Amino acid sequence: MAMYSRTVIFSCFQINVKMMKILGIIWCTFVLGYTVAATDSPDNRFFPEDFSLGVATAAFQIEGAWNESGKGEQLWDWWMHTYPDKTLNRDSGDVACDSYHKWNEDLELLKVLGVNHYRLSISWSRILPNGWANINTINEEGVKYYRTLLEALIEAGITPYVTLYHWDLPITLHQFGGWQNPIIADHFAAYARICFELFGDIVKNWITLNEPHSYCFLGYGTGYHAPGYALPSEGVYKCAYTSVLAHAKAWHIYDEEFRATQKGRVSIVIDSPWFEPLTDTEQDREAVQRELDFFFGLYANPIYNGNWPEQVIRIVDARSELEGYSYSRLPKFTEEEIQYIKGTSDFFSVNTYSAYLAHHQHNWDESIDPDEVTYYADQGVVNSVDPAWASDVEWVHKVPAGFRKLLNYIHNTFGQPEIVVTENGWAQNVTTAGTADQDRITYLSEYLSALLEAIYEDGVNVSAYTVWSLMDNLEWANGYQQKLGLVEVDFSDPERTRTAKDSYFWYQMVTKNRCLYSDASLCI
């Protein structure tokens, strides 16, 4: 762990008292700088000249106004209202950070932070309240909200990265079976076309789907997330099929109808931790590759290499036959679909937070038990974590070396693409969270050091890095009980007062100096 000492750099932000009152942010007396002890210092190289530093949020997690201004009900609205006990503390997104009404305050936070880009998402049901892509059903108030925000970002010199789907499926489409039904791919593509038409003149970086593994596995595999379907044998695979197809359809629409005039680009966010073998054995090394294929490759391989990963096909097909199925539990792409999907990405977007240890559990032809016909059993891998890895919540562990390895894996496996890190950050439990968040600074510094090593020492083409998140927000089933923001939000205050954390000022120093030291003369 890097050791930080705190210095004070006297510098008022030149924000007037009225603006300070509006923002509700404790800023003006001083800015926190950080120097680093000689041992285990962060990388002292500057970020490449055109490297972009940013932060991210998502519509449902910050906007609130769940039923205002013509917005329709979406999956997580329904889930949290119908099954309130499924979310910690019975939290909901009804108000969240109230960014629908306080977007201008959030914009000021972004401007003072000095970021190059801001990743945000559009709520499908705020644009199309009933989900259907009919021009007569477009909600003009929703369009105005996003248009105003996007134009303000651009005026401030902040590049928007816009995600079309960040888990908030209109409830009408959930009633059609959601991501288990391939017809949703067509509805998503039609919604994407409308967004390209409405905002494509100013948005040049589009992301179709956010983290399909997470919403497929948690929503249709374990049932931990909305819509709460525990379909462990086929749910993840069906969802993956529909999601990959939906992405490809949206990419082709942009490529064929908008790229020539709008000159933008389109990607999909793939999420994955890194995996290390538990033991230095051939079996555990093979377990790592299986885990990567089932977790990461299930979504990335069809897009970048064509078709599902070979061993995923081989294993699920063979196990399905041994289990007595007359078909494979893994949906088949037609040859036409394989060619249609392959190559549908203009850059590689990845979200990553942690790492796990992988241990071989069984071979594909073992443990064929009717009660164990699951996505997990297909992998035959058991995951664990090293207790030495720093962590404050169960799903985020500080393993910066794993981050560097994941970037190298993407580079070497998927054709050396341009990589945009669209989410990375440190999670704190609400009981330990606060504005003095030194652990977050340590995590971000070490992960950014690993990123610089991947760029300069390994030759990996990483063009952007995005902290999750700008501010504390609704973390899905974890409610407001986990904090990942650079800015604290007081959810007990009707005003949702924002207060900058130490990590906010540290990241501001990084965006200003373009390196990880408060004294830029120490960087090369």
Side-chain angles (χ1 to χ4, degrees):
M1 178 182 293
M3 302 298 292
Y4 292 89
S5 61
R6 182 167 165 174
T7 61
V8 178
I9 303 174
F10 292 96
S11 173
C12 185
F13 279 67
Q14 306 301 316
I15 298 176
N16 62 46
V17 174
K18 181 179 179 181
M19 181 61 73
M20 289 294 296
K21 183 176 181 181
I22 292 174
L23 293 177
I25 300 170
I26 303 172
W27 273 340
C28 199
T29 309
F30 55 83
V31 180
L32 300 178
Y34 295 85
T35 58
V36 185
T39 58
D40 201 20
S41 299
D43 195 294
N44 71 330
R45 286 168 286 199
F46 285 105
F47 290 98
E49 185 176 351
D50 57 352
F51 191 88
S52 185
L53 291 161
V55 290
T57 61
F60 177 63
Q61 293 178 268
I62 68 166
E63 283 181 2
W66 80 275
N67 61 351
E68 292 182 38
S69 304
K71 177 185 169 293
E73 186 179 26
Q74 49 91 355
L75 180 63
W76 278 85
D77 296 326
W78 165 82
W79 173 254
M80 289 181 164
H81 295 157
T82 307
Y83 305 105
D85 291 332
K86 298 285 187 179
T87 304
L88 290 179
N89 203 42
R90 298 171 67 93
D91 290 330
S92 79
D94 292 1
V95 179
C97 303
D98 199 24
S99 288
Y100 185 78
H101 300 110
K102 300 171 75 70
W103 66 267
N104 55 334
E105 296 187 21
D106 299 340
L107 176 64
E108 199 64 32
L109 282 167
L110 292 166
K111 290 162 65 175
V112 175
L113 187 57
V115 291
N116 306 118
H117 71 269
Y118 176 48
R119 181 182 169 219
L120 67 157
S121 74
I122 291 173
S123 173
W124 189 339
S125 61
R126 200 177 289 284
I127 299 296
L128 300 171
N130 65 9
W132 311 119
N134 182 319
I135 193 169
N136 296 319
T137 64
I138 294 175
N139 177 29
E140 294 300 334
E141 290 186 76
V143 173
K144 181 180 178 181
Y145 167 72
Y146 290 114
R147 185 80 194 188
T148 302
L149 174 56
L150 291 167
E151 288 178 346
L153 287 168
I154 292 167
E155 184 178 355
I158 300 169
T159 299
Y161 277 70
V162 177
T163 305
L164 292 170
Y165 180 73
H166 203 122
W167 303 7
D168 42 4
L169 186 71
I171 196 66
T172 49
L173 299 181
H174 163 64
Q175 293 165 349
F176 268 70
W179 294 99
Q180 296 292 284
N181 187 346
I183 199 173
I184 299 302
D186 293 318
H187 288 292
F188 174 76
Y191 155 65
R193 176 184 281 110
I194 285 177
C195 288
F196 298 151
E197 291 171 344
L198 290 170
F199 310 113
D201 59 320
I202 55 176
V203 174
K204 306 305 175 186
N205 297 281
W206 292 100
I207 292 163
T208 54
L209 308 174
N210 179 74
E211 298 184 353
H213 172 81
S214 289
Y215 69 74
C216 288
F217 178 66
L218 296 173
Y220 299 95
T222 67
Y224 181 67
H225 276 184
Y229 291 168
L231 305 169
S233 63
E234 299 182 49
V236 174
Y237 301 128
K238 287 184 175 181
C239 179
Y241 172 82
T242 303
S243 297
V244 169
L245 191 58
H247 159 77
K249 286 176 180 287
W251 186 92
H252 278 287
I253 286 172
Y254 191 85
D255 190 56
E256 296 163 12
E257 302 176 24
F258 299 96
R259 188 185 301 276
T261 56
Q262 296 182 357
K263 303 185 186 309
R265 56 188 192 156
V266 180
S267 180
I268 179 175
V269 166
I270 312 292
D271 61 309
S272 182
W274 178 247
F275 297 95
E276 282 287 311
L278 178 64
T279 65
D280 186 22
T281 62
E282 174 113 12
Q283 279 194 326
D284 279 1
R285 286 191 291 274
E286 291 176 351
V288 166
Q289 188 57 57
R290 286 203 306 279
E291 193 76 280
L292 286 167
D293 282 346
F294 274 87
F295 198 118
F296 199 49
L298 197 65
Y299 307 91
N301 208 74
I303 294 167
Y304 292 92
N305 296 330
N307 210 350
W308 309 117
E310 289 184 6
Q311 76 166 333
V312 172
I313 296 172
R314 175 175 55 79
I315 290 172
V316 181
D317 285 0
R319 285 179 63 87
S320 297
E321 183 177 353
L322 289 174
E323 290 156 355
Y325 284 79
S326 59
Y327 60 91
S328 176
R329 291 182 283 107
L330 180 69
K332 298 299 182 188
F333 290 120
T334 65
E335 185 59 36
E336 182 181 7
E337 287 174 332
I338 291 172
Q339 297 307 316
Y340 181 77
I341 294 167
K342 184 178 179 181
T344 57
S345 182
D346 301 314
F347 57 101
F348 198 114
S349 301
V350 62
N351 291 358
T352 187
Y353 291 85
S354 193
Y356 291 93
L357 299 170
H359 179 56
H360 172 82
Q361 182 182 35
H362 61 73
N363 294 320
W364 67 266
D365 57 348
E366 298 171 341
S367 303
I368 305 296
D369 181 334
D371 295 329
E372 291 296 327
V373 180
T374 68
Y375 166 79
Y376 264 139
D378 291 339
Q379 297 170 66
V381 181
V382 174
N383 295 140
S384 60
V385 296
D386 187 330
W389 293 344
S391 177
D392 201 33
V393 302
E394 63 179 8
W395 61 279
V396 177
H397 300 83
K398 183 168 69 67
V399 193
F403 182 40
R404 180 178 175 182
K405 289 181 179 181
L406 180 63
L407 294 173
N408 273 272
Y409 179 78
I410 294 168
H411 179 78
N412 294 323
T413 306
F414 302 111
Q416 302 182 3
E418 174 193 347
I419 300 172
V420 173
V421 179
T422 37
E423 284 184 29
N424 177 244
W426 177 253
Q428 292 177 295
N429 188 284
V430 66
T431 59
T432 59
T435 57
D437 56 344
Q438 179 63 48
D439 287 347
R440 177 168 291 106
I441 294 169
T442 301
Y443 176 99
L444 294 175
S445 177
E446 293 188 16
Y447 271 67
L448 282 168
S449 291
L451 182 148
L452 287 168
E453 291 167 355
I455 292 173
Y456 287 115
E457 297 179 24
D458 307 330
V460 179
N461 180 16
V462 188
S463 65
Y465 173 86
T466 316
V467 173
W468 184 273
S469 172
L470 171 63
M471 69 188 93
D472 295 338
N473 53 58
L474 177 67
E475 289 297 333
W476 308 104
N478 292 315
Y480 302 104
Q481 308 308 299
Q482 294 183 0
K483 309 296 183 181
L484 286 95
L486 301 177
V487 174
E488 181 181 74
V489 178
D490 184 354
F491 294 104
S492 66
D493 181 355
E495 295 299 317
R496 297 302 194 265
T497 303
R498 283 101 157 106
T499 305
K501 302 179 186 179
D502 289 358
S503 60
Y504 177 96
F505 298 114
W506 177 86
Y507 197 51
Q508 181 200 49
M509 176 271 294
V510 173
T511 65
K512 178 183 177 183
N513 291 350
R514 306 288 297 173
C515 72
L516 300 176
Y517 283 76
S518 57
D519 183 355
S521 68
L522 299 174
C523 298
I524 58 175

